Amino acid sequence: MSRIGRMPIAIPAGVKVEIAGSTVKVSGPKGALEREIASNKIEVKVEGAEVHVTRSDEKKETKSKHGLYRQLIANMVAGVVTPFSRTLIVQGVGYKAAVSGNKLTMNLGYSHPVEFTAPEGITIACPDITTIVVSGISKELVGQTAATIRSKRPVEPYHNYGLHYSDEVLVKKEGKTAGK
């Protein structure tokens, strides 16, 4: 049995989990999320103040989705209580970021400013000109949005200019040395 899949998900106070057919709906103080369970071999039940995810057979595909859906539901429950966030660092000479409304404008060494509009459900903030904080209740959407912003200027390996996550370890390459 999957170690992750067999663990029950505790439902905190103020969170409501509904299961309608193959759809799981989670609503809480910060918002509501919904996910379709694609496999008919995975069953989700609410028992008291816990959610249990079970599988009907021992096939490889079913076993691999058991832990996946359990963790996706656990992330939904956690996200409606405390939003997820991802921090990006803007590093480089003249590189900066600013937010106005839901539009992020970045100067990243190109001849033009790079603009990014936040998808619905995502909040982008810039505490200072070299930090971007992406937050929202959907862990999947927060991660995808942060990755999309990061792809606008990936880190250059020789000077470490570009956008990177705050918890990312950067390895600086050594430049070429003289020949003889």
Side-chain angles (χ1 to χ4, degrees):
M1 183 68 100
S2 168
R3 282 189 239 178
I4 293 172
R6 71 176 170 215
M7 292 190 299
I9 304 163
I11 302 173
V15 176
K16 186 176 176 186
V17 179
E18 296 175 359
I19 298 157
S22 63
T23 304
V24 177
K25 296 178 184 176
V26 179
S27 57
K30 300 291 182 183
L33 293 171
E34 186 175 319
R35 178 168 297 278
E36 186 78 25
I37 305 296
S39 176
N40 57 357
K41 311 261 179 170
I42 304 294
E43 188 178 348
V44 182
K45 292 184 214 162
V46 177
E47 297 174 359
E50 292 183 335
V51 178
H52 294 276
V53 181
T54 57
R55 62 178 187 242
S56 61
D57 60 34
E58 296 296 318
K59 292 183 179 171
K60 186 175 182 178
E61 181 184 351
T62 308
K63 287 166 73 173
S64 66
K65 292 202 171 141
H66 184 209
L68 169 74
Y69 282 120
R70 185 261 174 214
Q71 193 58 44
L72 290 173
I73 294 167
N75 287 340
M76 290 167 61
V77 170
V80 296
V81 175
T82 56
F84 294 101
S85 69
R86 200 67 205 246
T87 305
L88 293 138
I89 305 296
V90 181
Q91 188 171 336
V93 176
Y95 289 17
K96 61 183 178 178
V99 175
S100 62
N102 69 341
K103 187 175 277 191
L104 173 68
T105 305
M106 301 173 282
N107 293 343
L108 300 173
Y110 297 120
S111 62
H112 58 283
V114 178
E115 293 185 344
F116 179 80
T117 305
E120 192 173 326
I122 293 294
T123 305
I124 298 177
C126 287
D128 56 50
I129 61 171
T130 60
T131 307
I132 302 168
V133 179
V134 180
S135 59
I137 61 173
S138 171
K139 188 173 188 178
E140 185 178 358
L141 190 57
V142 167
Q144 183 59 51
T145 303
T148 304
I149 293 171
R150 185 178 180 270
S151 71
K152 303 296 182 191
R153 180 64 120 177
V155 173
E156 185 267 333
Y158 295 102
H159 299 103
N160 288 343
Y161 288 170
L163 294 167
H164 63 89
Y165 298 118
S166 61
D167 57 351
E168 185 176 359
V169 177
L170 298 177
V171 178
K172 195 171 182 180
K173 278 188 176 180
E174 189 176 322
K176 293 183 180 181
T177 57
K180 298 174 182 178

